[in-house]
Amino acid sequence: MASEKRNGHRRVAIVRGLRTPFAKAGTVFAGLTALDLGRMVVQELVQRTDLDPNEINQVVFGQVIPTLTAPSIAREVVLAAGLPKRIDAFTVSRACATSIQALVAGANAIALGDADVIIAGGTESMSDAPIFTSRPLAHALVASSKGKSLPDKLKPFQKLKGKDLLPVPPAIAEYSTGETMGESAEKMAKENGISREEQDLIAFNSHQNAAKAWKEGRFNDEVMHVLVPPKYEQSATKDNIVREDTSLDALSKLKPVFDRRYGSVTAGNASPLTDGAAALILMSEEKAKALGYEPLGFLRSHAFAATDPGDQLLQGPAYAAPVALKRAGMKLADIDLVEMHEAFAAQVASNIQALASKEFAKKAGFSGPVGEVDRSRLNVTGGSISIGHPFGATGARIVTQALNELKRRNKNTVLCTVCAAGGLGAAVILERA
C-alpha cells in the first residue's frame, strides 16, 4: 500500500535489522552475557545506519531467561550501549516470540504517534543461564548474612541436608503440564502422523538453505562480526551451527532424544541452545523519509494466539496466522514467502498440516483452511534448526532475514510465524511497498 496511514494509524517502517552471529551455547560466546550481546548489536546497528542517537525515542528489548543481575535488559542495553540516558526503555517477554512482541509494541507506539524512532529486539545467552539454589539453602544464606559472629553465621547451615546443596537449573518444562518442549514436539509428531523422514528433510533443507545463503553472501549485511571480549583474540563472523556437509543419511542415524524407543525427534531435527542477539530500527514512514532512509519494509498486520499447552503446545502459529492474514485483507495464496520458526521439524510440519486442514479449521473456529504452504517458499535462507535459536532474538532475526530476501527476489509480502512456550503463537505480515 502506498498511503502513509492505515485505519487512521501511521504506517510503520522497518528501516534496518542486524544480528550477531548465532553460536551454539558453550562455544565462542560462552564468556559473554545477554547484556554484552545486546549492547554489541545495538551499538553496531546505530553506527551502521548512521543514525543520530538523539533521534531514538525508545528501546524495546526482550530476554526469555532473565539475567538476575540485569533483569531490566532493555534499559541496561540503552546504558551499556552509550545511548543518551534520556531514552525510554522497557523489557518484554513472550517466550520464543519475544522479539516479535518487541517489534509489535514498538510499532504500536509509532502507529499511534507516541514515538517516531524505536529500536526493538532481543538477546539471549544460554551459556549464562542462571543457576538457582534450593529454598532451604537460600533461607540459610539469608539467615547467615544476619549473624554477628562466626558461630552465628555457620549455625543456619547445620540443618541443611545434602540434597539442599545441589544447584537448581532453570525449568525447561511447562509449569502447567510438566512436559518439556521436546516431549511436546514428540507428542505432536505422533498425534499428527509426522514421519521421521519428513522431519529430517525439513532439517536437511534448513542446513542446505542456510549454507547456500552464507556461501552467496546473503547474510553479509545483516550479521555483524564480533571480536570477543575481554581479550579480543577470538572472533565470530558466522553462525557456527550451520552444517553444509550434513546429509539425510547422517540425520537418519541420530538417536531420538525424548522418546528413545519410539520417538522421532532428534538433536538433528530440533533447534539447539544458542547465544545471540538481534535488533531492528523502526520508524514512522514520514520520519524515515525525513531522515533519508529507504525502509526494508513495513509491518502490515500482526496477531498473537494461544492454545491449550496440554494439547498441541507448539501449534500457536496455525491459530495466529489466519488472524494476521484476515487483518491484512490477504489470503495465504497472496503471500510470496513464508518464514516459520523451526523450534522442531515436527512442529513445522504440524503447523503446515494444520493450516491446510479442514478439520483443524473447524476445531479452531475458522471459516475454512488457510491453505497449503509452498515448501519452495518456506525458510528459503534457512531457519532455527540450522542457524540457531537464541530465544529472545529469533523473531528479529526472522524479520530481517525475510525482508532482505524479499528485496533480493523483488517480491512484496512475507508471513512470519513463531511458536512459543505456554501454547503461544505469533504471526506478522510484512510488505515492501
Side-chain angles (χ1 to χ4, degrees):
M1 295 181 66
S3 65
E4 293 181 352
K5 292 188 177 183
R6 180 181 285 116
N7 298 325
H9 296 150
R10 298 196 301 175
R11 199 167 180 221
V12 179
I14 300 164
V15 170
R16 185 156 187 183
L18 185 71
R19 67 178 175 90
T20 68
F22 284 2
K24 191 172 183 179
T27 61
V28 65
F29 293 151
L32 303 182
T33 66
L35 177 56
D36 292 330
L37 295 166
R39 170 190 60 77
M40 289 175 185
V41 78
V42 167
Q43 283 180 324
E44 183 74 11
L45 179 59
V46 171
Q47 290 173 5
R48 286 196 183 196
T49 52
D50 197 24
L51 176 64
D52 181 353
N54 291 303
E55 294 284 359
I56 303 169
N57 305 126
Q58 191 175 70
V59 170
V60 187
F61 232 70
Q63 184 181 3
V64 178
I65 309 297
T67 301
L68 298 182
T69 54
S72 183
I73 193 70
R75 180 59 177 162
E76 297 302 337
V77 163
V78 169
L79 300 174
L83 298 178
K85 293 180 175 62
R86 61 154 188 83
I87 293 177
D88 178 34
F90 68 94
T91 298
V92 297
S93 181
R94 193 186 279 269
C96 301
T98 286
S99 49
I100 293 294
Q101 179 63 67
L103 161 65
V104 170
N108 285 342
I110 291 172
L112 292 172
D114 295 336
D116 287 313
V117 180
I118 289 178
I119 293 179
T123 182
E124 209 75 48
S125 174
M126 295 310 297
S127 295
D128 188 39
I131 301 297
F132 304 93
T133 63
S134 68
R135 183 163 291 185
L137 178 56
H139 288 168
L141 288 166
V142 172
S144 177
S145 69
K146 297 177 181 178
K148 295 182 179 180
S149 64
L150 183 58
D152 289 341
K153 290 182 179 295
L154 294 177
K155 186 176 180 180
F157 297 104
Q158 294 173 2
K159 297 180 181 180
L160 295 178
K161 299 176 182 179
K163 65 178 182 179
D164 296 332
L165 302 178
L166 295 175
V168 181
I172 57 172
E174 288 290 308
Y175 185 83
S176 60
T177 66
E179 288 185 333
T180 66
M181 272 204 176
E183 290 168 341
S184 297
E186 193 68 80
K187 177 181 177 182
M188 291 173 71
K190 291 169 183 172
E191 291 186 359
N192 299 324
I194 308 299
S195 69
R196 169 70 183 270
E197 289 74 21
E198 181 174 5
Q199 293 175 61
D200 287 347
L201 180 59
I202 288 170
F204 175 75
N205 287 337
S206 184
H207 282 282
Q208 289 288 294
N209 290 343
K212 182 180 179 183
W214 271 114
K215 187 175 182 179
E216 294 178 351
R218 298 188 190 191
F219 292 155
N220 289 353
D221 290 335
E222 63 189 73
V223 181
M224 63 183 283
H225 291 184
V226 174
L227 279 173
V228 183
K231 295 184 177 180
Y232 301 97
E233 294 173 348
Q234 198 175 15
S235 65
T237 59
K238 296 176 64 176
D239 307 316
N240 69 3
I241 299 165
V242 181
R243 296 289 177 264
E244 182 179 5
D245 59 350
T246 196
S247 66
L248 286 171
D249 182 59
L251 289 167
S252 71
K253 292 178 180 177
L254 296 175
K255 302 286 186 183
V257 176
F258 302 99
D259 180 348
R260 297 182 184 277
R261 187 170 184 181
Y262 301 110
S264 57
V265 177
T266 71
N269 57 41
S271 59
L273 296 177
T274 313
D275 302 333
L280 307 163
I281 292 179
L282 313 178
M283 294 185 186
S284 66
E285 185 174 20
E286 302 92 328
K287 189 66 172 181
K289 287 180 179 178
L291 295 180
Y293 291 108
E294 179 182 352
L296 280 177
F298 301 87
L299 177 63
R300 178 159 179 155
S301 72
H302 75 272
F304 296 107
T307 185
D308 180 358
D311 181 21
Q312 301 261 337
L313 175 71
L314 305 175
Q315 202 77 299
Y319 290 90
V323 179
L325 286 164
K326 184 177 181 180
R327 289 174 178 172
M330 302 179 73
K331 297 179 180 179
L332 183 59
D334 302 324
I335 299 292
D336 294 311
L337 294 176
V338 175
E339 287 286 335
M340 186 174 286
H341 163 49
E342 299 167 345
F344 300 88
Q347 155 261 317
V348 173
S350 292
N351 277 278
I352 290 173
Q353 182 186 90
L355 290 171
S357 167
K358 292 181 180 178
E359 291 77 11
F360 176 82
K362 184 177 180 180
K363 172 186 174 183
F366 299 131
S367 59
V370 177
E372 297 278 351
V373 173
D374 182 347
R375 300 288 182 109
S376 70
R377 300 182 183 185
L378 174 68
N379 296 349
V380 293
T381 50
S384 299
I385 288 174
S386 57
I387 293 172
H389 176 35
F391 302 147
T394 287
R397 186 272 298 172
I398 287 173
V399 167
T400 301
Q401 204 164 308
L403 287 174
N404 281 329
E405 192 59 23
L406 280 180
K407 183 177 181 179
R408 274 186 290 268
R409 293 172 179 242
N410 196 28
K411 298 295 183 180
N412 193 52
T413 56
V414 60
L415 166 66
C416 303
T417 73
V418 180
C419 63
L424 302 176
V428 295
I429 293 177
L430 310 171
E431 61 186 357
R432 283 186 58 221

